[in-house]
Amino acid sequence: MWVSIACAALFVHLNCLGITAESPWSPQAAAKSFSRLPGLHDQQPVVTPNICGVDDVDRVPCGEPGIDDAQCGAISCCFDGQQCYYGRTVTVQCTIDGQFVLVVARDTTLPRLSLDSISLLGGSDAPCSAVDSNADFAIYQFPVTACGTRAMDLGDYVVYENKMSSSYEVGVGPLGAITRDSHYELSFQCRYAATTVAALDVQLASNSPPMPVAASGPLMVELRLGSGQCVTKGCVQAQAAYTSYYGDADYPVTKVLREPVYVEVRILGRTDPNIALVLGRCWATSSPDPFSVPQWELLVDGCPYQHDRYLTTPIPVDGSSGLQFPSHYKRFVLKMFTFVDHDSMAHLQEKEEMLPQQDSLLINLL
């Protein structure tokens, strides 16, 4: 029998950036040539809930020493009353002397962005590599004429445009490919009128809205997702997750990459304690058709798919569960992932720009 249900829709902001300079970067040098730009605060919000919550040891100074709160905010940075510093997001600046400045925090996305994976239109080698970095930030600075930047003469203005993206690790199976890494893209441009910075335009790419919930499968078997949370000290999340479940109105359920997804399959309408539910094959698809591709195996002959770096974990259901018929239930937990578009694989092999990831996931049973 078949059960197909919308399991989770990907929730990540796909965007990113990277740059470098011909001369050594410093926050003071960047601030001296920076001009406040219209629209700089119109960037789309990122996943990070507390942008200015950066540990003291990891802070990257922004602007000249001694600037006040207003001056710090004018260059899109954070101020704690004493110091101006870059926040846990992506900060883009254009300088009057024709430089792009980009500061990228790894906390810009969930899961955290791999700073080593950032590249520009011109690649990731010098002069398009980071000019400075620490564990949490990468700093890029490069001339507006370098790193694959496209220039357009619009009469009164010259527009310089570039695009930055992060790569992601892909797991390849017989019928599909997936990833659990964040992918982040950023398109940005600076407009110059004579020697003055006229405007900065930043465009972040994002996923399409999640697909609608799929139809239920056979009535005698139900697949559902646990939604319970630990609320007491010493609580075990793998047990608490099955104290409540998502209802029809909750789908599609939004999950972050690598976030645990707690799955339960149960037999309905039977009271025979001798019946035991056995799962043979369980796999994920990106459409309601269980025969569609791409596919990704979760369970094979009831066991975790061994070619996945993040193995599906079966959760034992026995008498301690409090269920009247424990043998009528199967539970397992998987780490959230997203399918990678087939065409993206070809681009990945050719080291070209990758296409968007597919952003919905459905679980199928056999």
Side-chain angles (χ1 to χ4, degrees):
M1 62 183 66
W2 298 87
V3 177
S4 181
I5 184 169
C7 165
L10 178 65
F11 179 67
V12 286
H13 291 275
L14 308 181
N15 309 279
C16 168
L17 44 155
I19 53 184
T20 101
E22 296 177 349
S23 58
W25 179 91
S26 71
Q28 291 78 20
K32 288 179 180 178
S33 58
F34 176 72
S35 174
R36 176 69 179 94
L37 304 173
L40 190 59
H41 289 290
D42 295 334
Q43 289 179 223
Q44 296 297 318
V46 295
V47 178
T48 308
N50 182 10
I51 291 178
C52 293
V54 182
D55 292 338
D56 292 346
V57 295
D58 297 322
R59 290 182 178 180
V60 176
C62 178
E64 295 182 349
I67 65 174
D68 59 24
D69 190 4
Q71 293 170 320
C72 184
I75 53 177
S76 300
C77 289
C78 297
F79 193 75
D80 64 358
Q82 295 181 336
Q83 181 186 22
C84 183
Y85 59 95
Y86 288 97
R88 299 164 59 204
T89 182
V90 175
T91 305
V92 183
Q93 300 168 341
C94 297
T95 67
I96 295 176
D97 63 344
Q99 299 272 329
F100 283 120
V101 176
L102 184 73
V103 179
V104 186
R106 67 170 180 161
D107 286 333
T108 299
T109 63
L110 289 175
R112 287 175 166 177
L113 191 65
S114 173
L115 298 178
D116 294 334
S117 71
I118 296 172
S119 64
L120 300 170
L121 287 179
S124 57
D125 296 328
C128 309
S129 55
V131 297
D132 200 0
S133 65
N134 61 24
D136 292 315
F137 290 90
I139 303 161
Y140 299 82
Q141 182 176 340
F142 65 95
V144 295
T145 55
C147 298
T149 301
R150 299 162 181 157
M152 296 171 284
D153 189 345
L154 301 182
D156 295 335
Y157 300 99
V158 178
V159 177
Y160 297 93
E161 182 176 274
N162 209 312
K163 182 177 182 179
M164 296 131 194
S165 63
S166 66
S167 60
Y168 48 88
E169 182 178 331
V170 176
V172 180
L175 296 175
I178 68 168
T179 185
R180 290 184 174 89
D181 294 336
S182 295
H183 177 50
Y184 192 71
E185 290 183 354
L186 175 71
S187 295
F188 60 95
Q189 62 178 218
C190 285
R191 298 182 182 183
Y192 287 86
T195 58
T196 303
V197 180
L200 168 68
D201 182 29
V202 177
Q203 181 179 5
L204 303 180
S206 61
N207 282 336
S208 302
M211 295 175 60
V213 65
S216 299
L219 294 177
M220 298 304 293
V221 175
E222 181 184 42
L223 185 153
R224 56 185 182 171
L225 302 183
S227 62
Q229 298 291 328
C230 279
V231 294
T232 59
K233 186 176 180 180
C235 172
V236 179
Q237 180 58 35
Q239 298 174 354
Y242 297 101
T243 58
S244 61
Y245 299 86
Y246 292 106
D248 291 343
D250 298 318
Y251 287 94
V253 176
T254 299
K255 293 288 182 181
V256 175
L257 290 172
R258 301 181 196 167
E259 184 177 351
V261 178
Y262 296 93
V263 182
E264 179 182 275
V265 184
R266 62 173 181 166
I267 299 174
L268 299 177
R270 296 299 182 95
T271 58
D272 185 350
N274 296 315
I275 295 177
L277 176 63
V278 177
L279 298 182
R281 180 189 173 208
C282 178
W283 70 101
T285 59
S286 60
S287 77
D289 181 3
F291 298 102
S292 64
V293 291
Q295 297 180 10
W296 189 257
E297 303 287 355
L298 302 174
L299 299 174
V300 178
D301 294 330
C303 298
Y305 178 52
Q306 294 299 308
H307 296 289
D308 192 335
R309 287 185 58 191
Y310 297 81
L311 293 178
T312 299
T313 305
I315 298 178
V317 184
D318 52 29
S320 64
S321 64
L323 298 170
Q324 185 177 7
F325 304 106
S327 63
H328 293 190
Y329 292 76
K330 289 293 182 183
R331 293 170 175 172
F332 59 88
V333 58
L334 62 99
K335 293 296 182 69
M336 185 60 191
F337 60 86
T338 180
F339 283 103
V340 178
D341 187 89
H342 177 73
D343 292 333
S344 293
M345 293 297 297
H347 286 285
L348 182 64
Q349 294 170 356
E350 297 169 8
K351 296 185 179 180
E352 297 178 0
E353 179 182 353
M354 288 177 288
L355 300 178
Q357 302 165 339
Q358 300 181 22
D359 60 1
S360 58
L361 187 69
L362 296 96
I363 295 178
N364 308 277
L365 300 173
L366 179 60

